[in-house]
Amino acid sequence: MTTPSSSPPSSSPPPSEIRAAIGATERTADDSIARARAAQPVWGALSVDERVRILERLPTILLENLDRAADAITAENGKPRAEAIAHELVPAIALTRHHLDVAVEILGPSRIASPTAPYRTAMRTHRPYGVIVAIAPWNLPFLIPFSQVLPALIAGNAVILKPSELTPGVAALLVDLIAACGLGDGVLQLATGDGALGAELIDARPDKVVFTGSVATGRKVMAAAARFPIPVGLELGGVDAAIVLDDADLEFTTSAVAWGATFNGGQACCSIERVLVHTDLHDAFLARLQDKLRRIDTRRDLAPAIDARQEAIWHRHLEAARECGLEVSGGAALRERRCAPALISGDAVTDAEVWSEETFGPVVAVARFDSDEDAVALHNDTRYGLTASIFSADTTRARALAQRLDAGAVSINDVAATMYSTPELPWGGVGLSGFGRSHGPDALLDAVWVQVIDSPRGPAFGPKRPWWYPYGPELEDAMRTLGTAIAAPRPISRLRGYGRAGYQLLSMLSRQPTL
């Protein structure tokens, strides 16, 4: 049995040294998959409880390395240190505690009873896929890969993490911290490189691929995996919206939207990119939001674009909005790949590229609506469906509205992005935003396949089944009785019907010849 390491990771090298070591120990995709396949049977043979005990030290390890990890994230990704701690590292600790607390209950076996087969008993079990390749993005370089890797490991899989080539050092530190629990050689591996390496890993035929990133790359991942086929989980983009109803508190709501549209420099799939405001509040909302966006400290609180390509998308969307005659407030290019938060409005805003395509920057567009029905139609007129936020003094009205939105997660009187830090809540979208879930019990269940084991309640062998050969009119009559019983609306009627069908089936055994 694999046992936890006795030495903490506090003495392990900093990310820069880890990155240097990566190049010296690179393996081919085939080698990584082979190594994972050799390691997984031992790890997967442990009970869920045993794997939980091995990983039990992980929350403490993460806490002890909080500052070190925050420095690594800020150095490599550029986001404010406060965001690294609040948006990634503390949520990672919370996610670990949640998964460790519920894993045995969620992944443990359960009995299944069937009234149509009372002489049998069945057990539902969960089996790890085997080798999972996790392909992660750069925008939350610690928390997103962590949320991909941890449930897969707890479920008994071996995992190969392929982070963005822009943030390999953070991923190396992540692997280092988890490995300090003592997983065993090859159970968790790091594979660094660009998209070509991701393609090679899929070609090496793992048992599942989980991917977080752009829609364009997600399509390539899905197409590559479909050739074998390999199951995939995808969390892709979003053009997420906030809906501001006519009874919303303007001060509270504009503060929420100002943060939700710009945290991490707007580089989050759950950033608020569209705001739907009731006509009665539209002008006042616009003025107050504009003022709050102007007052954001762009040096202290706003993350820069990860690279020049991302920054170019921001300014392309802003320029296209200006060319459409829309009003653009802010958006000036700043030093060090920063952009002043931008607010776009105007009667034709819903026709602009910024309304329908993901900007992934500190840019937010505002449109007005007249009724709840208009808000639902305007919100759902998109190919994406990751998150949404609704602001209203009437939470009953807001909950009813939420159930009509095509979004995987809806938050009322908060920014839906906050939900990603809540480990108990399943996270994922619909449409072009992908499928599959991370966080909550669904994350653990997405890392396994279901096996049902059916066995007799009584003696190992009994009489042959009456629906085996030979067929005859008696079988049709008995099945018709059974179908009538199953369809009966009242439990007592069903119970009586099962009894009659059982009697008919048993009677057939004495009259049928042996075959």
Side-chain angles (χ1 to χ4, degrees):
M1 170 180 170
T2 304
T3 56
S5 169
S6 59
S7 59
S10 57
S11 60
S12 56
S16 58
E17 294 180 20
I18 295 175
R19 282 199 299 274
I22 290 170
T25 58
E26 282 183 344
R27 295 178 173 85
T28 66
D30 287 333
D31 288 343
S32 295
I33 294 291
R35 187 164 170 247
R37 290 216 181 280
Q40 191 277 328
V42 176
W43 178 248
L46 300 175
S47 68
V48 178
D49 187 60
E50 287 173 320
R51 291 192 293 269
V52 165
R53 286 202 298 270
I54 290 172
L55 290 162
E56 186 60 42
R57 293 177 59 243
L58 187 53
T60 300
I61 290 172
L62 293 173
L63 186 61
E64 290 173 346
N65 288 271
L66 188 74
D67 290 326
R68 179 166 163 242
D71 290 342
I73 293 169
T74 298
E76 199 164 51
N77 170 275
K79 69 177 59 182
R81 198 169 186 275
E83 288 190 353
I85 294 173
H87 299 175
E88 299 207 53
L89 297 173
V90 172
I93 295 172
L95 189 68
T96 306
R97 174 50 54 210
H98 170 265
H99 283 332
L100 295 179
D101 286 349
V102 304
V104 173
E105 177 185 357
I106 298 299
L107 296 176
S110 58
R111 296 279 181 182
I112 302 173
S114 173
T116 61
Y119 54 92
R120 307 286 295 178
T121 183
M123 179 175 291
R124 173 193 173 110
T125 64
H126 298 105
R127 300 275 300 277
Y129 278 100
V131 176
I132 292 181
V133 167
I135 303 175
W138 48 261
N139 59 323
L140 275 78
F142 195 97
L143 184 56
I144 289 178
F146 191 85
S147 68
Q148 295 171 322
V149 167
L150 182 64
L153 290 174
I154 292 174
N157 300 282
V159 182
I160 300 170
L161 171 61
K162 207 297 282 184
S164 167
E165 62 272 26
L166 300 177
T167 51
V170 175
L173 178 58
L174 182 157
V175 170
D176 184 48
L177 297 178
I178 297 177
C181 293
L183 305 181
D185 186 58
V187 173
L188 175 59
Q189 300 177 63
L190 182 68
T192 59
D194 58 15
L197 175 61
E200 290 172 10
L201 286 167
I202 297 173
D203 287 343
R205 303 179 77 160
D207 299 300
K208 186 172 183 177
V209 179
V210 291
F211 170 82
T212 300
S214 71
V215 173
T217 306
R219 285 184 168 129
K220 294 178 182 177
V221 168
M222 194 171 180
R227 290 180 291 125
F228 299 116
I230 298 168
V232 298
L234 302 176
E235 191 208 312
L236 308 177
V239 186
D240 294 356
I243 298 176
V244 183
L245 300 183
D246 53 359
D247 58 353
D249 181 288
L250 276 181
E251 183 63 24
F252 179 92
T253 303
T254 50
S255 292
V257 171
W259 177 78
T262 61
F263 77 92
N264 200 30
Q267 296 168 114
C269 51
C270 52
S271 294
I272 294 176
E273 300 206 11
R274 302 181 296 152
V275 187
L276 288 56
V277 185
H278 192 278
T279 297
D280 292 349
L281 296 182
H282 178 269
D283 293 348
F285 177 92
L286 207 60
R288 200 168 303 189
L289 177 60
Q290 185 178 67
D291 177 63
K292 290 183 177 180
L293 290 175
R294 284 173 176 163
R295 289 191 282 120
I296 292 174
D297 188 327
T298 57
R299 289 299 303 253
R300 185 193 64 194
D301 296 336
L302 203 64
I306 188 67
D307 59 16
R309 291 177 300 175
Q310 190 60 45
E311 185 182 22
I313 294 173
W314 301 354
H315 294 294
R316 190 186 79 232
H317 281 190
L318 291 172
E319 185 58 33
R322 294 186 185 98
E323 290 175 357
C324 291
L326 298 175
E327 182 177 343
V328 179
S329 171
L334 305 175
R335 301 171 77 179
E336 299 176 337
R337 294 197 311 272
R338 284 178 167 83
C339 172
L343 178 60
I344 300 174
S345 60
D347 292 339
V349 69
T350 58
D351 298 325
E353 185 179 21
V354 72
W355 189 263
S356 58
E357 297 299 329
E358 190 173 38
T359 303
F360 223 61
V363 178
V364 61
V366 178
R368 67 175 77 226
F369 67 88
D370 295 321
S371 67
D372 289 5
E373 288 68 27
D374 292 338
V376 171
L378 192 56
H379 175 277
N380 290 345
D381 186 20
T382 175
R383 299 173 296 166
Y384 297 91
L386 186 56
T387 75
S389 300
I390 301 174
F391 295 89
S392 172
D394 186 344
T395 54
T396 300
R397 174 189 176 193
R399 280 193 293 268
L401 192 69
Q403 295 181 52
R404 301 168 61 189
L405 301 183
D406 296 335
V410 182
S411 183
I412 295 170
N413 293 338
D414 208 334
V415 178
T418 303
M419 300 168 71
Y420 195 74
S421 298
T422 307
E424 297 81 6
L425 302 181
W427 180 269
V430 296
L432 287 190
S433 293
F435 45 81
R437 294 295 182 266
S438 65
H439 296 58
D442 299 71
L444 293 164
L445 293 173
D446 266 8
V448 295
W449 54 274
V450 175
Q451 182 182 53
V452 175
I453 301 173
D454 175 60
S455 60
R457 284 186 182 275
F461 299 100
K464 78 179 191 71
R465 303 295 175 251
W467 48 86
W468 295 352
Y469 298 128
Y471 296 147
E474 297 89 349
L475 178 60
E476 295 183 24
D477 291 341
M479 287 294 126
R480 187 173 289 107
T481 302
L482 181 60
T484 302
I486 294 170
R490 298 175 58 211
I492 187 63
S493 299
R494 289 197 293 272
L495 187 60
R496 290 169 179 163
Y498 292 146
R500 287 192 294 271
Y503 176 79
Q504 288 178 268
L505 291 167
L506 288 173
S507 298
M508 290 172 57
L509 296 176
S510 62
R511 296 196 298 271
Q512 287 182 337
T514 301
L515 181 62

